[in-house]
Amino acid sequence: MTAVDPIDALTYPAARGGCPFAPPPAYQEALEQRPVTRISLWDGSRAWLVTRHEDVRAVMGDRRFSADARKPGFPFLSDGRRELAAQNPSFIRMDDPEHARFRRMLTGDFIIKRVEALRPAIQRIVDGFLDEMTSHHPPADLVAEFALPVPSLVICMLLGVPYQDHAYFQERSRILLRNHSTAAQVRRARDELSDYLQELAKRKELEPDEHIISKLIARGDLTREEVAGMSLLLLVAGHETTANMTALSTLALLRDPAQLARLREDPTLIKGAVEELLRFLSIVQGGTLRVAVESAEIGGTTIEAGEGVICMLSTANRDSSVFATPEALDVGRDARRHVAFGFGVHQCLGQPLARLELQIALETLIRRLPDLRLAVPFEDVRFRTDTAVHGLEELPVTW
Amino acid sequence: MRVSVDPGRCCSSGQCVTAVPEVFDQSEDDGVVLLIQPEPPADLRSAVRTAAAICPGRAITVHEP
Ligand code: HEM
């Protein structure tokens, strides 16, 4: 027998290297050497790691790859994640036509025109939290005082969830997203969130408002459990992601003063800069997960039915055949081909909202705090590596 | 250039509307793509190609002569 190929020893998840923004070096090497390769999971099972842009789009856009975690062979990141995915799945873990039925109940709320109409409200929210943060002396934790409250309040407003309950659902969301949460912890956090949202739905059956939860109830074709499940997905997906993007984007710009200066001199770059930051940071660090339901060839490799596939969005977004000098942050480049929101029928439903929130939050932060800087050495900033969504524990800043 | 769209493949990501609002729009009900200009003028063609390239449902087809 020949020695085990070192690439065969790839594990999921893997540690990041020297640059905290870059994907694990082992995955970036896989992209160069064996773009579709075997990887071992926490429980010793195997899956395929897909690293190239073209191949990631091929898997995500192909119905032979299922997002249904109840199908045999579906790859899980941990025991806790299996617990979350396997029970009462929401439409992110369904295939069409079931998935499309639920998704289409919400797409009307996320069309560009309707999201753009939220601009003045989001600007007020952003200004409000910045006013509060700057009303006391620096330093401040930008995560707790700005990056997290902005999208939390926005998603509460859209769903019709009382913002005063934010500590309750933020704490439980975090347990759901943390890799090392046990199955029992995940079950409990999910059940508590689900009960909370079902109680809220019950109240809204009696006193409806004009927000998403009430509109879902008013359709009349969803059970209370289904309404709560869809609300839970939106609530969790809607605040942790944008919050972590805001914090990491701020840090990446503070770390790269030349790019920050370009953005400061020409605020019209903000839209493109947000796309570039989405590409550069690729916060969904575990990638997107699928299982083959028929055999399919991807990048010259045959994947058999029943084999799991991990699409590494972060390496696809650093594929030099699509993005020149991918390791560089360049706020002037056209990064719109990135797959930070995924690809195919599950591509992020909330993307117009996330884009608008990020554009407003970052533009306002840069404009209002021209002397914004880190209050600790860069090396002391604590990253969240043990989560589905990459982020920061806190971001101490001064101005 | 002629453009066609397949509403059955549309995922309502809205990226085409952001890229070329002169050519694409979305239904108010479910966000599904609406084609406003099947034959876009020369100055919009490169943006239309980008919209087709980034469409997550591959719902946009560009026919070039
Ligand atoms: C920068 C912020 C965000 C990033 C990077 C992000 C990323 C993603 C990714 C990669 C997926 C695809 C998952 C898969 O295919 O398995 C996804 C799906 C989803 N996202 Fe986001 N997201 C963000 C913000 C939001 C926001 C603000 C909302 C809600 C308002 C949201 C709601 C959803 C939902 C509901 C899905 C499931 C869509 C489906 O399965 O059809 N996301 N997101």
Side-chain angles (χ1 to χ4, degrees):
Chain A
M1 282 249 324
T2 48
V4 179
D5 187 312
I7 294 179
D8 261 347
L10 270 185
T11 59
Y12 178 75
R16 286 180 189 254
C19 175
F21 301 122
Y27 293 175
Q28 198 69 40
E29 273 162 35
L31 181 144
E32 306 296 337
Q33 292 162 15
R34 268 173 55 177
V36 179
T37 188
R38 290 277 191 178
I39 191 162
S40 329
L41 310 188
W42 60 284
D43 59 352
S45 65
R46 289 294 194 90
W48 293 99
L49 180 75
V50 175
T51 46
R52 279 199 309 211
H53 188 268
E54 186 189 338
D55 297 338
V56 164
R57 289 189 11 147
V59 171
M60 304 284 288
D62 188 330
R63 281 160 199 245
R64 288 175 296 178
F65 295 95
S66 167
D68 184 344
R70 294 162 297 184
K71 295 233 156 83
F74 192 91
F76 295 102
L77 197 142
S78 66
D79 205 16
R81 209 52 61 68
R82 174 165 57 196
E83 173 67 25
L84 181 62
Q87 310 288 324
N88 310 316
S90 53
F91 61 90
I92 194 168
R93 288 272 165 265
M94 292 176 188
D95 295 326
D96 284 350
E98 202 188 7
H99 157 264
R101 175 178 165 244
F102 289 106
R103 180 172 165 121
R104 290 238 164 136
M105 294 178 189
L106 293 165
T107 40
D109 286 295
F110 291 92
I111 63 174
I112 302 296
K113 231 178 283 171
R114 223 160 260 150
V115 170
E116 189 56 41
L118 299 171
R119 184 180 285 277
I122 296 176
Q123 183 69 59
R124 267 197 307 277
I125 289 172
V126 163
D127 280 320
F129 284 116
L130 264 192
D131 287 345
E132 233 171 87
M133 184 179 99
T134 53
S135 68
H136 67 74
H137 286 292
D141 173 11
L142 196 83
V143 173
E145 298 201 39
F146 184 68
L148 185 58
V150 167
S152 288
L153 181 49
V154 171
I155 196 68
C156 281
M157 183 180 81
L158 289 183
L159 290 172
V161 169
Y163 180 68
Q164 75 249 25
D165 297 337
H166 65 93
Y168 189 84
F169 59 76
Q170 281 165 358
E171 234 167 76
R172 283 153 188 82
S173 302
R174 194 158 302 168
I175 295 171
L176 297 185
L177 295 174
R178 205 174 52 194
N179 296 347
H180 71 256
S181 297
T182 62
Q185 286 170 328
V186 165
R187 198 175 313 126
R188 175 149 179 222
R190 194 217 18 237
D191 290 349
E192 285 173 351
L193 275 176
S194 176
D195 288 349
Y196 167 79
L197 289 164
Q198 288 193 44
E199 268 311 303
L200 189 65
K202 201 151 82 188
R203 290 208 301 277
K204 283 177 192 283
E205 283 163 17
L206 303 171
E207 282 175 62
D209 56 32
E210 69 283 16
H211 304 297
I212 290 178
I213 296 179
S214 271
K215 285 198 283 185
L216 289 174
I217 295 168
R219 299 176 53 89
D221 58 352
L222 291 169
T223 64
R224 197 182 284 153
E225 289 74 24
E226 285 171 332
V227 171
M230 292 167 82
S231 311
L232 197 155
L233 173 61
L234 288 171
L235 189 62
V236 176
H239 77 274
E240 275 287 343
T241 46
T242 311
N244 286 312
M245 254 313 282
T246 305
L248 280 172
S249 297
T250 306
L251 180 63
L253 288 169
L254 291 175
R255 184 72 174 153
D256 198 336
Q259 297 302 316
L260 180 56
R262 282 173 82 187
L263 207 46
R264 202 163 257 147
E265 274 152 34
D266 183 1
T268 64
L269 289 178
I270 191 67
K271 279 192 181 165
V274 165
E275 299 309 313
E276 170 66 349
L277 287 159
L278 284 161
R279 178 196 75 82
F280 182 75
L281 297 166
S282 295
I283 58 169
V284 178
Q285 58 185 345
T288 48
L289 308 175
R290 299 291 186 267
V291 60
V293 288
E294 278 174 51
S295 84
E297 194 183 300
I298 295 295
T301 300
T302 302
I303 298 179
E304 301 293 346
E307 292 182 332
V309 181
I310 296 161
C311 292
M312 201 39 63
L313 306 178
S314 57
T315 55
N317 282 337
R318 289 182 182 226
D319 183 334
S320 58
S321 66
V322 181
F323 304 102
T325 49
E327 65 289 350
L329 176 67
D330 173 0
V331 296
R333 83 161 89 213
D334 182 354
R336 285 177 295 175
R337 286 173 64 88
H338 71 74
V339 288
F341 288 121
F343 192 73
V345 297
H346 288 279
Q347 197 187 50
C348 184
L349 172 73
Q351 58 183 297
L353 178 66
R355 288 191 164 101
L356 186 65
E357 290 178 308
L358 289 167
Q359 290 163 13
I360 297 174
L362 294 173
E363 185 278 324
T364 308
L365 191 65
I366 292 169
R367 173 167 46 79
R368 286 190 47 181
L369 300 178
D371 281 328
L372 184 72
R373 58 197 185 279
L374 285 179
V376 295
F378 179 79
E379 292 66 34
D380 292 352
V381 175
R382 289 192 301 132
F383 287 80
R384 268 193 205 149
T385 46
D386 179 47
T387 55
V389 180
H390 194 213
L392 298 176
E393 292 294 344
E394 71 244 317
L395 183 59
V397 292
T398 182
W399 54 86
Chain B
M1 174 192 274
R2 206 167 50 74
V3 186
S4 60
V5 295
D6 179 350
R9 299 188 62 101
C10 175
C11 313
S12 312
S13 76
Q15 295 191 91
C16 57
V17 184
T18 306
V20 221
E22 299 86 347
V23 174
F24 302 102
D25 197 1
Q26 285 177 293
S27 135
E28 301 254 336
D29 295 337
D30 58 7
V32 167
V33 63
L34 303 171
L35 185 60
I36 341 176
Q37 276 202 67
E39 291 180 20
D43 59 323
L44 298 178
R45 284 178 199 160
S46 126
V48 169
R49 280 184 209 108
T50 300
I54 61 180
C55 173
R58 298 199 178 94
I60 302 170
T61 311
V62 174
H63 312 265
E64 312 245 16

